[in-house]
C-alpha cells in the first residue's frame, strides 16, 4: 500500500529509456517524414501520445500486398501498442511523483499520509506505517493549537506551526518552550526576528548539563577562536586560517553559511591520530550564526526562568499526549485524508479542553 520516491524516480528513468529504444525501432522513414527526433525531445506522456497518433496515421496510409510487407506492418503496430502501454505506465508514475511533492513516500489508501517510524512498534523491528506528524501547543495542559505535517522530523514544522498559531489568534506567542527537536538556525532566527522569548534547547544541551561532561579536546567546539583576526587554534597550537565559506539550503529553502578553516601543516603531528584521520591538513566548518544562537539559548535555559520553564515543559505537551493515548485510548486517527484527520482531532481537542475545564471548575468549588 505504499509508494516510495526512489522507486518512482527509478521506474520513470527506466521507462523513458525503454520508450526511447522503442521509438528508435519504429520505421525510420515514418519518423523522418514526420520530423520526429526522439534523441532531442523530452519524453513525456503527452509527447508520446502525439507521436503515436502521428505514427498510426502514417501506418494507416500503407496498404502492402506482399507477405513480408504485411508482416513488417504488423510488427510496427505491435511496437506502437507497446509504446502506448509504457506511456500509460509513465503517466501513472508521473502522477505518483506529483502526489509525493517533497515527501519520500505516501500511502495508496491515504495519499496525504507519509510512512514514518512509530513509537509503538508491536514487531519491534522499526517498521514504518502511514501517519501524520501531529504538533500541539499547550498551556496549563489545554490544547491551544494543533497542526498536521507530512515530514517525520520536527525541525521543519516549527515555523509553519507558529504561523498557524498567529492565524488562529492574531499574534505570536510571547514566550515559547520547546525541546531540542526544534533547535535549528532557521527556527532561532525566526524567534529572534519576531521578538519571541524562546527557551528552546539544541541537540547537545542535555549532554552539556551533565556533571561529569567533558568535551573532547579534538572537537572543533573546544578549539580557541580569535574573533578579531578570524582564526582557530588547534590542540598543537597551529593557527587554522579561513579558506572560504560553504553554503547549504534546508528543505524549506533557508540558506545557511559555514566558514571553513584549515590547519597549516598536519604532517608529522603527534596528535594526528587522535585529532583526525583524513588525508592532508585538517579542515573544520563552523556556522558562527548558529553557534551564537546556541550560546544565547544556553544562557536563557540555564537562567532561573529557564529552569522553571524547563521543569514545566515535561508536564505540558507530554502530559497531554499521555492522557490522549493512555487515558482516552486516542492512539490513531479514524479517517483517511488530511482534511478529515484535522476534523477528527479538532473534535477531540474541543472535548479534551471542555473536560479539563469542567474538572478545574469542579475542584475550584
Amino acid at each position: 500500500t505504499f509508494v516510495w520516491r526512489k522507486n518512482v524516480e527509478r521506474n520513470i528513468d527506466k521507462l523513458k529509456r525503454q520508450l526511447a529504444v522503442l521509438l528508435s525501432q519504429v520505421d525510420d522513414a515514418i519518423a523522418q517524414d514526420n520530423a520526429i527526433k526522439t534523441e532531442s525531445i523530452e519524453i513525456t506522456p503527452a509527447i508520446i501520445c502525439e507521436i503515436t497518433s502521428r505514427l498510426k496515421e502514417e501506418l494507416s496510409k500503407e496498404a502492402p500486398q506482399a507477405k513480408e510487407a504485411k508482416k513488417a506492418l504488423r510488427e510496427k503496430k505491435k511496437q506502437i501498442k507497446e509504446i502506448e502501454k509504457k506511456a500509460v505506465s509513465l503517466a501513472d508514475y508521473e502522477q505518483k511523483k506529483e502526489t509525493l511533492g517533497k515527501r519520500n513516500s505516501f500511502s495508496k489508501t491515504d495519499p496525504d499520509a507519509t510512512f514514518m517510524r512509530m513509537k509503538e512498534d508491536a514487531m519491534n523491528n522499526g517498521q514504518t506505517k502511514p501517519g501524520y506528524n501531529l504538533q500541539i501547543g499547550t498551556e496549563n495542559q489545554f490544547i491551544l493549537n494543533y497542526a498536521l505535517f507530512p515530514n517525520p522530523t520536527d525541525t521543519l514544522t516549527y515555523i509553519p506551526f507558529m504561523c498557524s498559531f498567529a492565524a488562529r489568534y492574531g499574534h505570536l506567542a510571547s514566550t515559547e518552550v520547546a525541546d531540542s527537536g526544534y533547535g535549528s538556525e532557521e527556527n532561532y532566527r525566526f524567534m529572534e526576528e519576531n521578538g519571541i522569548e524562546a527557551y528552546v534547547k539544541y541537540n547537545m544541551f542535555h549532554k552539556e548539563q551533565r556533571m561529569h561532561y567533558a568535551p573532547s579536546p579534538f572537537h572543533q567546539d573546544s578549539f580557541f577562536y580569535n574573533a578579531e583576526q578570524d582564526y582557530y587554534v588547534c590542540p598543537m597550537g597551529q593557527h587554522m586560517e579561513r579558506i572560504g565559506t560553504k553554503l547549504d539550503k534546508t528543505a524549506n529553502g533557508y540558506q545557511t553559511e559555514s566558514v571553513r578553516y584549515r590547519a597549516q601543516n598536519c604532517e608529522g603531528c603527534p596528535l594526528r591520530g587522535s585529532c583526525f584521520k583524513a588525508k592532508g591538513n585538517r579542515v573544520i566548518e563552523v556556522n558562527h550564526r548558529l553557534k551564537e544562537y546556541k550560546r544565547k539559548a544556553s544562557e536563557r535555559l540555564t537562567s532561573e526562568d529557564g529552569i522553571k520553564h524547563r521543569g514545566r515543559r515535561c508536564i505540558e505537551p507530554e502530559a497531554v499526549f499521555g492522557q490522549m493515548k493512555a487515558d482516552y485510548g486516542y492512539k490513531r486517527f479514524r479517517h483517511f485524508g488530511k482534511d478529515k484527520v484535522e476534523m477528527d482531532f479538532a473534535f477531540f481537542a474541543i472535548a479534551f479542553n471542555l473536560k479539563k475545564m469542567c474538572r478545574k471548575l469542579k475542584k475550584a468549588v
Side-chain angles (χ1 to χ4, degrees):
T1 64
F2 43 82
V3 176
W4 301 100
R5 174 180 290 278
K6 288 185 178 179
N7 288 340
V8 170
E9 292 177 346
R10 182 169 60 249
N11 285 322
I12 287 176
D13 293 338
K14 181 180 177 181
L15 283 169
K16 285 184 176 181
R17 289 196 300 270
Q18 291 174 347
L19 284 167
V21 172
L22 285 170
L23 288 172
S24 65
Q25 291 175 354
V26 179
D27 193 355
D28 293 338
I30 296 176
Q32 187 175 2
D33 291 342
N34 290 274
I36 299 171
K37 298 180 180 179
T38 58
E39 295 81 3
S40 60
I41 64 172
E42 181 183 357
I43 295 178
T44 63
I47 294 294
I48 297 300
C49 182
E50 181 183 349
I51 291 174
T52 53
S53 297
R54 293 163 65 184
L55 289 175
K56 281 182 178 180
E57 184 180 349
E58 286 296 321
L59 290 177
S60 64
K61 297 177 183 178
E62 297 184 14
Q65 301 296 326
K67 185 176 179 180
E68 292 296 329
K70 288 182 178 180
K71 183 179 178 181
L73 181 61
R74 287 197 299 270
E75 187 64 27
K76 293 173 188 176
K77 290 181 178 179
K78 184 179 177 181
Q79 289 175 343
I80 290 175
K81 284 185 179 180
E82 185 66 20
I83 291 173
E84 289 177 330
K85 183 179 177 181
K86 292 189 180 297
V88 171
S89 298
L90 179 62
D92 180 53
Y93 281 114
E94 291 285 1
Q95 179 61 43
K96 289 178 179 177
K97 186 175 181 181
E98 185 178 348
T99 303
L100 280 166
K102 295 182 179 180
R103 297 180 293 167
N104 289 323
S105 65
F106 73 85
S107 172
K108 291 180 182 178
T109 54
D110 184 1
D112 292 335
T114 306
F115 276 80
M116 307 179 187
R117 297 189 186 278
M118 304 295 177
K119 291 182 179 179
E120 298 174 359
D121 187 3
M123 302 297 292
N124 198 26
N125 59 357
Q127 63 180 333
T128 57
K129 294 180 181 179
Y132 298 89
N133 185 356
L134 172 64
Q135 299 286 312
I136 62 171
T138 68
E139 184 171 355
N140 295 324
Q141 295 188 6
F142 283 91
I143 300 175
L144 302 182
N145 188 36
Y146 72 93
L148 297 166
F149 297 94
N151 48 297
T153 56
D154 293 334
T155 308
L156 301 176
T157 65
Y158 174 79
I159 294 178
F161 180 77
M162 294 315 302
C163 290
S164 70
F165 181 94
R168 190 183 299 271
Y169 296 102
H171 62 85
L172 290 169
S174 58
T175 304
E176 295 176 9
V177 186
D179 62 16
S180 57
Y182 306 88
S184 67
E185 178 188 342
E186 183 179 8
N187 294 341
Y188 282 132
R189 185 171 184 175
F190 177 84
M191 300 171 204
E192 185 176 73
E193 290 178 349
N194 289 278
I196 298 171
E197 186 180 4
Y199 298 89
V200 180
K201 303 171 188 175
Y202 47 90
N203 53 357
M204 286 290 292
F205 176 76
H206 280 295
K207 194 172 183 179
E208 292 174 356
Q209 302 309 306
R210 294 176 184 172
M211 184 180 297
H212 301 292
Y213 170 72
S216 170
F218 302 106
H219 193 275
Q220 63 185 45
D221 290 341
S222 302
F223 293 1
F224 171 77
Y225 176 61
N226 187 317
E228 293 182 359
Q229 300 182 22
D230 192 17
Y231 67 82
Y232 276 86
V233 180
C234 78
M236 278 299 291
Q238 284 195 69
H239 285 195
M240 304 182 72
E241 303 293 343
R242 177 171 180 162
I243 59 172
T245 58
K246 180 182 177 182
L247 300 178
D248 287 313
K249 277 189 177 182
T250 66
N252 283 343
Y254 178 80
Q255 190 175 74
T256 62
E257 180 181 298
S258 300
V259 182
R260 304 179 79 241
Y261 299 87
R262 184 173 59 196
Q264 296 175 0
N265 184 15
C266 294
E267 187 177 353
C269 176
L271 300 179
R272 181 185 179 114
S274 301
C275 185
F276 78 112
K277 297 181 181 179
K279 294 181 180 180
N281 300 326
R282 182 172 181 182
V283 177
I284 62 174
E285 295 178 0
V286 183
N287 187 332
H288 290 292
R289 180 180 291 173
L290 178 59
K291 198 170 182 179
E292 179 63 16
Y293 283 145
K294 287 182 177 180
R295 185 191 65 78
K296 293 179 181 178
S298 180
E299 288 181 359
R300 284 193 296 267
L301 290 164
T302 53
S303 65
E304 186 176 348
D305 289 338
I307 294 172
K308 181 180 70 174
H309 286 302
R310 282 161 48 198
R312 279 201 55 80
R313 191 212 161 270
C314 58
I315 61 173
E316 277 289 344
E318 303 302 340
V320 172
F321 275 122
Q323 292 169 31
M324 286 167 48
K325 294 180 179 181
D327 296 348
Y328 305 139
Y330 192 80
K331 297 182 179 180
R332 59 185 300 172
F333 298 120
R334 295 161 291 185
H335 296 85
F336 291 158
K338 187 177 179 181
D339 293 340
K340 292 181 179 180
V341 170
E342 286 182 342
M343 175 202 66
D344 187 327
F345 188 77
F347 281 118
F348 175 84
I350 293 170
F352 182 91
N353 287 346
L354 286 173
K355 189 171 183 179
K356 180 77 66 176
M357 184 178 66
C358 292
R359 187 177 299 174
K360 286 183 177 292
L361 292 174
K362 187 175 180 181
K363 286 182 178 180
V365 174

